[in-house]
Protein backbone atom coordinates (compact mmCIF):
# COMPACT_ATOMS: atom_id res chain seq x y z
CA UNK A 1 0.00 0.00 0.00
CA UNK A 2 0.95 3.66 -0.27
CA UNK A 3 1.25 5.98 2.73
CA UNK A 4 2.59 9.45 3.39
CA UNK A 5 5.52 9.59 5.76
CA UNK A 6 8.29 11.91 6.99
CA UNK A 7 11.69 10.49 6.00
CA UNK A 8 15.15 11.58 7.11
CA UNK A 9 17.61 11.00 4.26
CA UNK A 10 20.79 12.51 5.72
CA UNK A 11 22.35 13.94 8.88
CA UNK A 12 21.48 17.56 9.48
CA UNK A 13 18.77 17.54 6.83
CA UNK A 14 15.08 18.36 7.17
CA UNK A 15 12.33 15.78 7.28
CA UNK A 16 11.00 15.05 3.79
CA UNK A 17 7.26 14.32 3.63
CA UNK A 18 6.53 12.05 0.68
CA UNK A 19 4.56 9.05 -0.50
CA UNK A 20 6.27 5.76 0.34
CA UNK A 21 5.50 2.09 -0.14
CA UNK A 22 4.50 0.02 2.89
CA UNK A 23 4.52 -3.78 2.88
CA UNK A 24 1.79 -5.78 4.68
CA UNK A 25 2.50 -7.22 8.12
CA UNK A 26 4.58 -10.36 8.34
CA UNK A 27 4.13 -13.04 11.00
CA UNK A 28 3.98 -11.52 14.46
CA UNK A 29 3.31 -8.00 13.15
CA UNK A 30 0.36 -5.62 12.90
CA UNK A 31 -0.61 -2.80 10.55
CA UNK A 32 -1.68 0.32 12.43
CA UNK A 33 -3.44 3.46 11.20
CA UNK A 34 -1.99 6.29 13.28
CA UNK A 35 -4.28 8.82 14.94
CA UNK A 36 -1.47 11.04 16.20
CA UNK A 37 2.24 11.13 16.95
CA UNK A 38 4.25 13.29 19.30
CA UNK A 39 7.28 15.31 18.25
CA UNK A 40 9.80 13.91 20.72
CA UNK A 41 13.36 15.21 21.09
CA UNK A 42 14.76 11.72 20.48
CA UNK A 43 13.88 12.06 16.78
CA UNK A 44 15.88 15.28 16.75
CA UNK A 45 18.81 13.16 17.91
CA UNK A 46 18.53 11.28 14.61
CA UNK A 47 19.02 14.56 12.76
CA UNK A 48 22.04 15.59 14.84
CA UNK A 49 23.59 12.13 14.98
CA UNK A 50 23.51 11.88 18.78
CA UNK A 51 21.53 8.70 18.18
CA UNK A 52 23.54 6.90 15.50
CA UNK A 53 20.94 5.35 13.22
CA UNK A 54 21.17 4.00 9.66
CA UNK A 55 19.57 6.33 7.14
CA UNK A 56 17.14 6.76 5.46
CA UNK A 57 14.56 6.29 8.19
CA UNK A 58 10.88 7.02 8.81
CA UNK A 59 11.00 8.88 12.10
CA UNK A 60 8.60 8.86 15.01
CA UNK A 61 8.33 6.59 18.02
CA UNK A 62 5.50 8.09 20.08
CA UNK A 63 2.05 7.28 18.73
CA UNK A 64 -1.32 5.62 19.03
CA UNK A 65 -3.82 4.34 16.53
CA UNK A 66 -6.14 1.59 15.35
CA UNK A 67 -5.14 -1.88 14.19
CA UNK A 68 -6.08 -2.38 10.53
CA UNK A 69 -4.58 -5.82 9.84
CA UNK A 70 -2.79 -8.53 11.81
CA UNK A 71 -0.11 -10.89 10.59
CA UNK A 72 0.07 -14.65 11.04
CA UNK A 73 0.40 -15.85 14.60
CA UNK A 74 -1.10 -12.73 16.19
CA UNK A 75 -4.08 -14.00 18.18
CA UNK A 76 -4.46 -11.51 21.02
CA UNK A 77 -4.87 -8.34 18.93
CA UNK A 78 -7.74 -7.85 16.48
CA UNK A 79 -8.60 -5.46 13.70
CA UNK A 80 -10.25 -2.37 15.16
CA UNK A 81 -8.38 -2.52 18.48
CA UNK A 82 -7.03 0.73 19.93
CA UNK A 83 -3.32 0.52 20.69
CA UNK A 84 -0.47 2.61 21.99
CA UNK A 85 2.84 1.99 20.25
CA UNK A 86 5.86 1.55 22.51
CA UNK A 87 9.34 2.44 21.30
CA UNK A 88 10.82 -0.56 23.12
CA UNK A 89 9.32 -3.96 22.29
CA UNK A 90 8.72 -6.45 25.08
CA UNK A 91 8.66 -10.13 24.07
CA UNK A 92 7.36 -11.24 27.46
CA UNK A 93 9.56 -14.33 27.61
CA UNK A 94 13.23 -13.29 27.87
CA UNK A 95 14.99 -13.12 31.23
CA UNK A 96 14.42 -9.37 31.57
CA UNK A 97 10.73 -9.49 30.69
CA UNK A 98 10.25 -12.41 33.08
CA UNK A 99 11.62 -10.20 35.87
CA UNK A 100 9.29 -7.32 34.99
CA UNK A 101 11.97 -5.30 33.20
CA UNK A 102 10.28 -5.08 29.82
CA UNK A 103 12.19 -1.89 29.00
CA UNK A 104 15.36 -4.00 28.85
CA UNK A 105 13.87 -6.77 26.70
CA UNK A 106 16.47 -8.57 24.61
CA UNK A 107 14.46 -7.81 21.46
CA UNK A 108 15.19 -4.13 22.12
CA UNK A 109 18.62 -4.64 20.59
CA UNK A 110 16.91 -4.33 17.20
CA UNK A 111 15.48 -0.83 17.67
CA UNK A 112 18.60 0.98 16.46
CA UNK A 113 19.29 -1.21 13.43
CA UNK A 114 16.76 0.13 10.92
CA UNK A 115 14.87 -2.91 9.60
CA UNK A 116 12.27 -4.95 11.41
CA UNK A 117 13.16 -7.71 13.88
CA UNK A 118 13.53 -10.28 11.08
CA UNK A 119 16.06 -8.08 9.29
CA UNK A 120 13.81 -7.02 6.41
CA UNK A 121 12.21 -3.66 5.67
CA UNK A 122 8.56 -2.61 5.49
CA UNK A 123 9.02 0.93 4.13
CA UNK A 124 10.48 1.64 0.68
CA UNK A 125 11.02 4.93 -1.18
CA UNK A 126 13.10 6.28 -4.08
CA UNK A 127 14.17 2.72 -4.88
CA UNK A 128 15.64 2.19 -1.39
CA UNK A 129 14.69 0.31 1.76
CA UNK A 130 13.77 2.74 4.53
CA UNK A 131 14.22 1.94 8.22
CA UNK A 132 11.82 2.64 11.08
CA UNK A 133 12.70 4.62 14.18
CA UNK A 134 12.57 2.12 17.06
CA UNK A 135 10.78 -0.43 14.83
CA UNK A 136 7.83 2.00 14.66
CA UNK A 137 8.07 4.96 12.26
CA UNK A 138 5.06 6.86 13.61
CA UNK A 139 5.71 9.84 11.32
CA UNK A 140 3.49 8.02 8.84
CA UNK A 141 -0.24 7.68 8.27
CA UNK A 142 0.16 3.89 8.46
CA UNK A 143 2.93 1.69 9.81
CA UNK A 144 3.72 -1.98 10.35
CA UNK A 145 5.17 -2.86 13.75
CA UNK A 146 5.85 -5.95 15.88
CA UNK A 147 3.05 -7.22 18.08
CA UNK A 148 5.52 -6.83 20.94
CA UNK A 149 5.58 -3.07 20.26
CA UNK A 150 1.90 -2.38 20.89
CA UNK A 151 -0.24 -2.30 24.02
CA UNK A 152 -4.00 -2.66 23.69
CA UNK A 153 -6.06 -0.03 25.51
CA UNK A 154 -9.77 0.47 26.13
CA UNK A 155 -11.93 1.49 23.20
CA UNK A 156 -13.04 5.09 23.50
CA UNK A 157 -9.74 6.33 24.89
CA UNK A 158 -8.86 9.54 22.99
CA UNK A 159 -6.01 8.31 20.82
CA UNK A 160 -4.55 11.75 20.16
CA UNK A 161 -3.88 12.15 23.90
CA UNK A 162 -2.94 8.51 24.39
CA UNK A 163 -0.19 8.88 21.76
CA UNK A 164 1.91 10.80 24.30
CA UNK A 165 2.00 7.79 26.61
CA UNK A 166 3.99 5.88 24.00
CA UNK A 167 7.20 7.68 25.01
CA UNK A 168 7.22 11.01 26.85
CA UNK A 169 4.68 10.30 29.56
CA UNK A 170 5.89 6.81 30.39
CA UNK A 171 9.55 7.86 30.29
CA UNK A 172 9.13 10.94 32.45
CA UNK A 173 6.67 9.44 34.92
CA UNK A 174 8.78 6.31 35.26
CA UNK A 175 12.02 8.26 35.70
CA UNK A 176 10.59 9.76 38.88
CA UNK A 177 8.40 6.93 40.16
CA UNK A 178 10.21 3.79 38.94
CA UNK A 179 13.89 4.69 38.53
CA UNK A 180 13.97 7.50 41.09
CA UNK A 181 11.69 5.73 43.57
CA UNK A 182 10.09 8.98 44.70
CA UNK A 183 8.18 8.55 47.96
CA UNK A 184 5.60 10.65 49.80
CA UNK A 185 7.24 13.66 51.40
CA UNK A 186 10.35 13.62 49.19
CA UNK A 187 12.09 16.63 47.71
CA UNK A 188 12.58 16.22 43.96
CA UNK A 189 14.47 18.34 41.42
CA UNK A 190 13.68 17.95 37.71
CA UNK A 191 16.24 19.54 35.40
CA UNK A 192 14.72 20.30 32.00
CA UNK A 193 10.99 21.03 31.88
CA UNK A 194 10.17 19.77 28.39
CA UNK A 195 8.05 16.86 27.22
CA UNK A 196 9.88 14.34 29.43
CA UNK A 197 10.52 16.66 32.35
CA UNK A 198 6.89 17.70 32.74
CA UNK A 199 5.95 14.07 33.16
CA UNK A 200 8.71 13.52 35.69
CA UNK A 201 7.22 16.47 37.57
CA UNK A 202 3.71 15.07 37.53
CA UNK A 203 5.03 11.60 38.34
CA UNK A 204 6.68 13.05 41.45
CA UNK A 205 3.42 14.83 42.31
CA UNK A 206 1.34 11.67 41.95
CA UNK A 207 3.89 9.76 44.07
CA UNK A 208 3.39 12.28 46.86
CA UNK A 209 6.54 14.41 46.73
CA UNK A 210 6.30 17.35 49.12
CA UNK A 211 8.62 19.70 47.22
CA UNK A 212 9.20 19.63 43.44
CA UNK A 213 11.66 22.07 41.90
CA UNK A 214 11.60 22.51 38.11
CA UNK A 215 14.84 23.83 36.61
CA UNK A 216 14.78 25.38 33.15
CA UNK A 217 16.18 28.58 31.63
CA UNK A 218 13.00 29.15 29.57
CA UNK A 219 10.40 31.20 31.46
CA UNK A 220 7.47 29.67 29.55
CA UNK A 221 8.49 26.18 30.66
CA UNK A 222 8.96 27.24 34.27
CA UNK A 223 5.47 28.74 34.25
CA UNK A 224 3.98 25.59 32.75
CA UNK A 225 5.80 23.41 35.27
CA UNK A 226 3.63 24.70 38.09
CA UNK A 227 0.56 23.40 36.23
CA UNK A 228 1.97 19.87 36.40
CA UNK A 229 2.96 19.98 40.06
CA UNK A 230 6.16 21.97 40.52
CA UNK A 231 6.09 23.82 43.83
CA UNK A 232 9.16 25.92 42.99
CA UNK A 233 11.23 26.82 39.92
CA UNK A 234 14.79 27.85 39.18
CA UNK A 235 16.68 28.97 36.09
CA UNK A 236 19.82 26.89 36.74
CA UNK A 237 21.12 24.08 38.92
CA UNK A 238 23.26 26.57 40.83
CA UNK A 239 20.19 28.62 41.70
CA UNK A 240 18.30 25.43 42.52
CA UNK A 241 20.98 24.41 45.05
CA UNK A 242 20.45 27.54 47.14
CA UNK A 243 16.68 27.06 46.97
CA UNK A 244 16.72 23.36 47.82
CA UNK A 245 19.25 23.83 50.61
CA UNK A 246 16.99 26.44 52.19
CA UNK A 247 13.80 24.39 51.75
CA UNK A 248 15.32 21.24 53.25
CA UNK A 249 17.41 22.91 55.98
CA UNK A 250 20.57 21.72 54.31
CA UNK A 251 19.59 18.10 53.73
CA UNK A 252 19.15 18.67 49.97
CA UNK A 253 17.02 16.67 47.53
CA UNK A 254 16.11 13.01 47.64
CA UNK A 255 15.96 12.69 43.84
CA UNK A 256 17.27 14.72 40.91
CA UNK A 257 16.04 13.77 37.44
CA UNK A 258 17.99 14.97 34.39
CA UNK A 259 15.63 15.46 31.44
CA UNK A 260 17.55 18.07 29.48
CA UNK A 261 17.72 18.04 25.67
CA UNK A 262 21.16 16.38 25.88
CA UNK A 263 22.86 14.92 28.96
CA UNK A 264 26.09 16.89 29.06
CA UNK A 265 28.88 15.41 31.18
CA UNK A 266 29.12 18.58 33.28
CA UNK A 267 25.53 18.17 34.45
CA UNK A 268 26.35 15.09 36.51
CA UNK A 269 28.49 16.82 39.12
CA UNK A 270 25.88 19.59 39.52
CA UNK A 271 23.10 17.03 39.89
CA UNK A 272 25.09 15.04 42.45
CA UNK A 273 25.62 18.22 44.45
CA UNK A 274 21.83 18.77 44.54
CA UNK A 275 21.04 15.49 46.31
CA UNK A 276 21.75 14.64 49.92
CA UNK A 277 22.49 11.38 51.71
CA UNK A 278 21.21 8.35 49.78
CA UNK A 279 20.16 10.84 47.09
CA UNK A 280 19.49 9.45 43.63
CA UNK A 281 20.50 11.14 40.36
CA UNK A 282 18.43 9.78 37.48
CA UNK A 283 19.90 10.32 34.01
CA UNK A 284 17.11 10.10 31.46
CA UNK A 285 18.44 12.49 28.81
CA UNK A 286 20.54 11.04 26.00
CA UNK A 287 24.25 11.89 26.10
CA UNK A 288 26.65 12.39 23.21
CA UNK A 289 27.77 8.95 21.96
CA UNK A 290 31.44 9.96 22.04
CA UNK A 291 31.23 11.28 25.63
CA UNK A 292 32.85 8.74 27.96
CA UNK A 293 33.72 10.75 31.07
CA UNK A 294 31.81 12.64 33.75
CA UNK A 295 32.76 14.29 37.00
CA UNK A 296 31.52 14.46 40.56
CA UNK A 297 32.71 14.04 44.13
CA UNK A 298 33.73 10.40 44.58
CA UNK A 299 34.17 11.09 48.30
CA UNK A 300 30.54 12.17 48.66
CA UNK A 301 29.43 9.30 46.44
CA UNK A 302 30.81 6.87 49.02
CA UNK A 303 30.38 8.70 52.32
CA UNK A 304 26.84 9.91 51.55
CA UNK A 305 25.85 6.80 49.56
CA UNK A 306 24.72 8.90 46.62
CA UNK A 307 23.65 7.05 43.49
CA UNK A 308 23.64 7.65 39.73
CA UNK A 309 20.99 5.69 37.85
CA UNK A 310 20.37 5.46 34.13
CA UNK A 311 16.71 5.44 33.08
CA UNK A 312 15.58 3.80 29.85
CA UNK A 313 11.86 4.29 29.22
CA UNK A 314 11.60 5.25 32.88
CA UNK A 315 12.42 1.67 33.95
CA UNK A 316 8.84 0.91 32.95
CA UNK A 317 7.11 -2.35 32.08
CA UNK A 318 4.87 -1.20 29.23
CA UNK A 319 2.30 -3.99 29.35
CA UNK A 320 1.53 -3.07 32.97
CA UNK A 321 2.35 0.63 33.15
CA UNK A 322 0.70 1.93 29.98
CA UNK A 323 -2.84 0.78 30.89
CA UNK A 324 -2.24 2.12 34.40
CA UNK A 325 -1.26 5.53 33.01
CA UNK A 326 -4.41 5.55 30.86
CA UNK A 327 -6.41 4.91 34.03
CA UNK A 328 -4.63 7.74 35.82
CA UNK A 329 -5.54 10.04 32.92
CA UNK A 330 -9.18 8.93 32.99
CA UNK A 331 -9.29 9.59 36.75
CA UNK A 332 -7.96 13.12 36.29
CA UNK A 333 -4.66 12.47 38.10
CA UNK A 334 -2.46 12.44 35.00
CA UNK A 335 -2.49 15.48 32.73
CA UNK A 336 -2.26 14.78 29.00
CA UNK A 337 -4.31 17.52 27.34
CA UNK A 338 -2.17 20.19 28.98
CA UNK A 339 1.03 18.67 27.56
CA UNK A 340 0.03 19.50 23.98
CA UNK A 341 1.20 23.01 23.20
CA UNK A 342 0.50 23.02 19.45
CA UNK A 343 -1.04 20.77 16.80
CA UNK A 344 0.60 20.23 13.41
CA UNK A 345 -0.15 18.44 10.19
CA UNK A 346 2.44 15.97 8.89
CA UNK A 347 3.52 18.59 6.33
CA UNK A 348 4.34 20.97 9.20
CA UNK A 349 6.76 18.60 10.93
CA UNK A 350 9.83 20.78 10.39
CA UNK A 351 8.02 23.79 11.84
CA UNK A 352 7.11 21.64 14.83
CA UNK A 353 10.74 20.80 15.48
CA UNK A 354 11.76 24.42 15.05
CA UNK A 355 9.21 25.34 17.71
CA UNK A 356 10.64 22.64 19.98
CA UNK A 357 14.21 23.86 19.52
CA UNK A 358 13.09 27.43 20.23
CA UNK A 359 11.53 26.42 23.54
CA UNK A 360 7.98 27.25 22.44
CA UNK A 361 6.55 23.78 22.95
CA UNK A 362 6.13 21.37 25.79
CA UNK A 363 4.94 18.83 23.25
CA UNK A 364 4.01 19.30 19.63
CA UNK A 365 1.50 16.80 18.23
CA UNK A 366 0.89 15.70 14.66
CA UNK A 367 -2.70 14.64 14.05
CA UNK A 368 -3.47 12.48 11.04
Amino acid sequence: MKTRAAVLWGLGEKWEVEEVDLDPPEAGEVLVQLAATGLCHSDEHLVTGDLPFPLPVVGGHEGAGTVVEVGAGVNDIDEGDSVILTFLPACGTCSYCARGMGNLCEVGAAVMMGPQIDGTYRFHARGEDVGQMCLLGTFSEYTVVPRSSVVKIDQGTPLDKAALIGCGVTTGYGSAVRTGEVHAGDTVVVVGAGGIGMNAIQGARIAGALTIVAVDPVEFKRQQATTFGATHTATSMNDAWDLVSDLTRGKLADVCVLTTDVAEAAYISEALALVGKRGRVVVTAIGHPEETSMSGSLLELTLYEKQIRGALYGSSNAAHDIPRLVELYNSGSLKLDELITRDYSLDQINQGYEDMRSGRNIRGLIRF
Side-chain angles (χ1 to χ4, degrees):
M1 64 179 293
K2 300 287 188 181
T3 183
R4 295 181 74 247
V7 182
L8 181 66
W9 291 93
L11 289 178
E13 296 182 5
K14 293 184 178 297
W15 295 97
E16 298 284 345
V17 178
E18 57 194 276
E19 187 176 75
V20 301
D21 293 308
L22 177 62
D23 294 338
E26 298 289 344
E29 298 175 350
V30 297
L31 171 64
V32 178
Q33 181 179 10
L34 274 298
T37 181
L39 298 179
C40 181
H41 201 108
S42 293
D43 293 286
E44 176 75 358
H45 291 316
L46 298 183
V47 177
T48 62
D50 283 330
L51 275 178
F53 202 100
L55 302 178
V57 61
V58 174
H61 64 283
E62 181 181 85
T66 303
V67 174
V68 176
E69 183 182 348
V70 300
V74 178
N75 51 29
D76 57 346
I77 293 285
D78 298 314
E79 295 178 13
D81 282 347
S82 295
V83 293
I84 292 176
L85 284 66
T86 70
F87 76 90
L88 287 172
C91 71
T93 58
C94 72
S95 171
Y96 299 100
C97 285
R99 287 180 281 166
M101 297 184 289
N103 66 309
L104 298 177
C105 175
E106 291 179 350
V107 179
V111 301
M112 296 293 290
M113 303 303 292
Q116 273 301 331
I117 294 172
D118 65 1
T120 63
Y121 292 81
R122 302 294 169 267
F123 284 106
H124 314 276
R126 304 183 189 180
E128 294 187 40
D129 294 326
V130 180
Q132 295 171 251
M133 171 62 163
C134 294
L135 303 174
L136 300 182
T138 59
F139 292 167
S140 177
E141 297 166 332
Y142 291 83
T143 188
V144 169
V145 302
R147 163 62 186 90
S148 55
S149 294
V150 301
V151 175
K152 182 179 176 180
I153 58 174
D154 291 338
Q155 297 282 13
T157 302
L159 293 176
D160 54 344
K161 313 301 191 306
L164 303 179
I165 298 177
C167 175
V169 174
T170 306
T171 299
Y173 178 93
S175 293
V177 177
R178 301 280 186 247
T179 317
E181 298 183 80
V182 172
H183 298 297
D186 278 356
T187 295
V188 179
V189 179
V190 177
V191 184
I196 305 294
M198 290 301 184
N199 290 295
I201 290 168
Q202 61 176 337
R205 170 180 55 79
I206 293 170
L210 178 64
T211 303
I212 305 171
V213 180
V215 181
D216 201 290
V218 179
E219 182 180 2
F220 165 69
K221 293 183 178 181
R222 294 197 304 273
Q223 292 173 345
Q224 291 297 304
T226 60
T227 300
F228 292 92
T231 58
H232 302 77
T233 64
T235 59
S236 68
M237 282 192 269
N238 283 334
D239 290 342
W241 192 94
D242 293 331
L243 175 62
V244 172
S245 180
D246 182 59
L247 291 169
T248 61
R249 300 176 184 177
K251 293 182 178 180
L252 300 175
D254 300 285
V255 181
C256 177
V257 185
L258 285 176
T259 55
T260 49
D261 53 355
V262 177
E264 303 289 352
Y267 296 165
I268 304 301
S269 61
E270 294 180 281
L272 279 170
L274 275 166
V275 299
K277 295 179 179 180
R278 285 270 173 108
R280 300 171 293 284
V281 172
V282 177
V283 183
T284 302
I286 297 290
H288 301 291
E290 70 279 3
E291 188 69 69
T292 58
S293 63
M294 54 190 180
S295 62
S297 172
L298 294 178
L299 183 66
E300 287 188 7
L301 195 71
T302 300
L303 297 185
Y304 294 162
E305 292 194 355
K306 296 184 179 184
Q307 302 171 29
I308 303 173
R309 301 180 178 183
L312 177 64
Y313 209 11
S315 304
S316 298
N317 187 18
H320 172 272
D321 290 342
I322 283 179
R324 182 67 58 86
L325 290 167
V326 172
E327 292 172 356
L328 285 171
Y329 169 66
N330 290 333
S331 73
S333 298
L334 183 73
K335 298 178 184 294
L336 296 182
D337 303 58
E338 295 85 350
L339 288 169
I340 303 169
T341 313
R342 290 177 179 83
D343 293 335
Y344 302 91
S345 67
L346 183 61
D347 291 312
Q348 295 173 314
I349 184 170
N350 291 303
Q351 180 61 52
Y353 272 106
E354 176 58 33
D355 290 342
M356 182 203 72
R357 289 188 292 269
S358 300
R360 292 192 287 267
N361 282 355
I362 303 303
R363 195 50 125 219
L365 186 77
I366 290 176
R367 299 178 191 270
F368 293 102

